[in-house]
Amino acid sequence: MTQQPKYRRIVDWVKSQVESGAINPGEKLNSENELAEMFQMSRQTVRHAISELEKEKIIERRQGSGTYISNVFKRRTENTMNIAVVTTYVDDYIFPSIIKGMEEVISDAGYTLQIAFTHNSVEKEYSVIKNILDRNMADGIIVEPTKSGIPNPNVELYNEIIQRDIPTIFFNSNYPQINLPYVVLDDRATGYKAAKYLIEAGHTRIAGIFKSDDRQGHLRYAGYVQALADAGLRLYDENVLWIDTEDLRNLSYESKRVLKRLRETTACVCYNDLAAQEIVKICGKNDIRIPEDLSIVSVDNSEIAANCKVPLTSVSHPKTELGKKVASNLIKMIEGELADATYEFLPELTERKSVKKIDEV
């Protein structure tokens, strides 16, 4: 067994002093000389420990004054019975169903739900997470990652969450560089299932529309590519359209770009029902019939899919069940009952009228 470095004795001692209430946030820590004498260690080892404590934001140096316990490191003597939920959106599309599922489980367990949303903005995500940490008023945190398909500038905040041992779980996606559990739809399998359904209907040149700034888009693309490869079909780069959050809400203004990507195809896998709805509108304005000229499979099986001008065949998002699962797993984490809270839902497909079999007359 590897022997623990000497400096860790000091680090662990300071942490235990704060957790027990022997030293409180804002109080001055023993001097380097005092710590060296207490632990019978060199000044160099003490400085290493101080540097590590500062890195973990447990202490802060004040020039000309000394070293103090950070106000960020607040000791909680009892549970707040609050759970913070951070989501990209809250009042439209599939989000009300997800929140409903969370609320049901959280309320039944005696906790209160506190919701904040980021509008899928990394700047807003920073302010929301920072506020939760500064107020220290939640026993656990549920987070939907913001723009998880691109490098996240808020990694340090999540590292602070891990350092402070606050039970936290992601939903809908996750940040691969952050070691926290997540509850999601298996997005790779989702992309595969959508493409395979079109392949089995006889389509051989299949377009794809995916989100670039969310990890779900990358994984659904990977599944789509794998389905084509398994069927011995060629992937045409010119038939793949990458969009971001802003594009998704304004896709109807990008008709030329969309139509260029759909050229010579008979089918399309759409990132979600919102994107598919926009594609249906664009096709309608350009005399492209759904499904006679273009078949579509989308993702989420939302009300949009059922109520679209041409009802959409769509891979179902578990919505309410996902909300229940992520809330249940977080509560088990808070109560120390669950070691691995990660869970992936397998995709299921709902058939409607947006797909034509090629051999149909």
Side-chain angles (χ1 to χ4, degrees), residues 198-241:
L198 290 167
I199 292 166
E200 290 175 346
H203 298 275
T204 57
R205 185 154 179 171
I206 302 168
I209 298 174
F210 304 99
K211 275 194 75 182
S212 59
D213 55 355
D214 285 348
R215 192 160 185 255
Q216 298 100 304
H218 294 251
L219 292 173
R220 290 171 192 177
Y221 170 76
Y224 154 85
V225 170
Q226 189 62 54
L228 294 178
D230 288 352
L233 297 177
R234 178 181 164 187
L235 169 67
Y236 292 87
D237 284 337
E238 62 265 33
N239 294 140
V240 177
L241 175 65

Side-chain angles (χ1 to χ4, degrees), residues 72 156 232 332:
V72 170
E156 284 306 312
K332 289 176 182 176

Side-chain angles (χ1 to χ4, degrees), residues 72-127:
V72 170
F73 196 92
K74 297 178 183 176
R75 180 177 59 92
R76 253 199 335 260
T77 57
E78 58 183 27
N79 287 348
T80 66
M81 300 309 291
N82 292 324
I83 289 176
V85 176
V86 182
T87 181
T88 53
Y89 302 98
V90 72
D91 58 356
D92 65 352
Y93 196 45
I94 62 174
F95 297 100
S97 296
I98 297 173
I99 298 298
K100 180 182 177 183
M102 290 181 190
E103 192 168 26
E104 184 178 323
V105 171
I106 289 169
S107 297
D108 285 349
Y111 290 84
T112 299
L113 195 70
Q114 297 183 336
I115 304 174
F117 51 96
T118 66
H119 292 297
N120 213 27
S121 158
V122 292
E123 183 181 4
K124 182 67 173 174
E125 181 190 55
Y126 177 87
S127 63

Side-chain angles (χ1 to χ4, degrees), residues 194-315:
K196 186 179 180 183
Y197 183 83
L198 290 167
I199 292 166
E200 290 175 346
H203 298 275
T204 57
R205 185 154 179 171
I206 302 168
I209 298 174
F210 304 99
K211 275 194 75 182
S212 59
D213 55 355
D214 285 348
R215 192 160 185 255
Q216 298 100 304
H218 294 251
L219 292 173
R220 290 171 192 177
Y221 170 76
Y224 154 85
V225 170
Q226 189 62 54
L228 294 178
D230 288 352
L233 297 177
R234 178 181 164 187
L235 169 67
Y236 292 87
D237 284 337
E238 62 265 33
N239 294 140
V240 177
L241 175 65
W242 289 97
I243 59 175
D244 61 20
T245 299
E246 287 69 31
D247 292 333
L248 181 60
R249 300 279 171 171
N250 301 286
L251 205 55
S252 58
Y253 297 110
E254 299 283 342
S255 295
K256 287 184 180 179
R257 184 176 164 216
V258 170
L259 293 170
K260 182 179 178 182
R261 296 296 184 177
L262 294 177
R263 191 176 299 158
E264 297 183 27
T265 66
T266 61
C268 181
V269 172
C270 286
Y271 170 77
N272 66 7
D273 296 336
L274 286 169
Q277 177 180 244
E278 294 301 305
I279 298 303
V280 170
K281 290 178 184 176
I282 291 170
C283 287
K285 291 177 181 179
N286 290 273
D287 298 322
I288 299 171
R289 300 168 300 166
I290 310 293
E292 291 85 359
D293 301 320
L294 183 75
S295 291
I296 294 176
V297 175
S298 62
V299 178
D300 285 338
N301 194 28
S302 64
E303 289 184 2
I304 288 174
N307 299 326
C308 189
K309 184 176 180 181
V310 178
L312 299 168
T313 292
S314 186
V315 181

Side-chain angles (χ1 to χ4, degrees), residues 16-33:
S16 68
Q17 292 293 97
V18 176
E19 289 290 359
S20 67
I23 309 176
N24 292 307
E27 289 188 8
K28 192 172 184 178
L29 184 65
N30 305 68
S31 69
E32 289 184 6
N33 284 336

